[in-house]
Amino acid sequence: MKTKKWVWVSGAILLVSLLLIVWFQWLSPSISAQGLSEEEANAVAIDQYAGDIIRTTKTHDEYQIEMQIENGIYNIKIDAKSGNILSLKQLEKAKEQPVEPKEPPTNTEDGSQSESNDPTTQDPAPKENTVITEQEALDISAKHVNGLADDDTELHQPPDQAPYYLVEVEIENGEEDREAIVQVDAYTGEVKSVNWED
């Protein structure tokens, strides 16, 4: 009889101990994880992508940073606890410089009109849509995320859309090596998006 009682008491103590361990592990990340402040998240974005912060918003577990970078406006998602960049997506392309109006023809002494010989006012030859090389896509991707591009690159040519490359890039950071898939427009060489793999 005493043995059964002892087994029941031991089992109850073991069960309570396990429940306490599980409860503390569930509660402890929310107690111990302070997470990033808005300033720290902005610093991560600026450190990774040189540009100007337009707006920063925070949800429960991530910061969304709208940022003006050289070739457009991007939305950057950063994990609020670890500071890892989760994704980069282009929202708007950079505005092109306005084209100067062409000078009107001038009258010559004999009354005929002549076109300006200024090469800056000449119409450029029409450009064909040419696809950048795979090596150019690798170089653009590696430079964009400060990593090492993998030779395993794919050119995608969906119907009714501009072709693009998907390039795998590895970022070596000690124990926290990360990989990103970078989408590069095959005509312009612009980075369209960056998706970070876990």
Side-chain angles (χ1 to χ4, degrees):
M1 199 71 154
K2 282 188 175 184
T3 320
K4 281 187 177 181
K5 191 175 186 181
W6 184 82
V7 170
W8 278 101
V9 170
S10 298
I13 291 172
L14 182 61
L15 181 62
V16 169
S17 298
L18 286 173
L19 287 173
L20 285 173
I21 290 170
V22 169
W23 183 73
F24 277 116
Q25 285 186 351
W26 174 76
L27 184 63
S28 65
S30 62
I31 292 172
S32 64
Q34 294 292 327
L36 296 177
S37 68
E38 184 174 321
E39 292 78 22
E40 290 169 327
N42 288 341
V44 168
I46 290 171
D47 184 46
Q48 190 68 31
Y49 310 103
D52 298 318
I53 303 289
I54 297 171
R55 173 181 28 226
T56 303
T57 56
K58 184 181 182 205
T59 61
H60 177 64
D61 57 351
E62 70 184 23
Y63 283 98
Q64 291 195 24
I65 299 172
E66 199 171 304
M67 188 172 186
Q68 175 74 48
I69 301 176
E70 180 181 346
N71 57 353
I73 297 175
Y74 287 82
N75 181 30
I76 304 167
K77 292 184 181 179
I78 298 178
D79 186 292
K81 292 183 182 174
S82 68
N84 290 333
I85 295 176
L86 303 173
S87 70
L88 171 77
K89 185 172 184 178
Q90 187 173 34
L91 301 175
E92 186 180 314
K93 290 183 180 180
K95 292 179 177 47
E96 294 183 17
Q97 296 297 324
V99 177
E100 292 292 323
K102 191 175 179 180
E103 286 184 28
T106 56
N107 289 331
T108 60
E109 289 179 17
D110 64 358
S112 63
Q113 293 184 343
S114 70
E115 296 289 325
S116 171
N117 289 331
D118 184 2
T120 60
T121 61
Q122 300 290 323
D123 286 334
K127 292 184 179 180
E128 292 182 25
N129 284 339
T130 56
V131 175
I132 64 172
T133 65
E134 186 175 304
Q135 186 60 49
E136 288 173 316
L138 290 168
D139 294 342
I140 290 166
S141 301
K143 183 178 178 184
H144 192 77
V145 295
N146 298 327
L148 180 62
D150 189 347
D151 288 336
D152 184 19
T153 302
E154 297 176 28
L155 174 63
H156 295 269
Q157 296 180 317
D160 301 326
Q161 291 182 10
Y164 60 89
Y165 286 98
L166 288 181
V167 182
E168 291 183 24
V169 181
E170 186 174 324
I171 294 86
E172 295 181 5
N173 191 14
E175 295 177 11
E176 296 184 18
D177 290 352
R178 299 185 68 201
E179 284 190 3
I181 304 294
V182 180
Q183 181 182 355
V184 179
D185 187 298
Y187 287 145
T188 65
E190 287 185 51
V191 173
K192 294 297 192 179
S193 66
V194 177
N195 291 317
W196 295 94
E197 296 183 348
D198 294 331

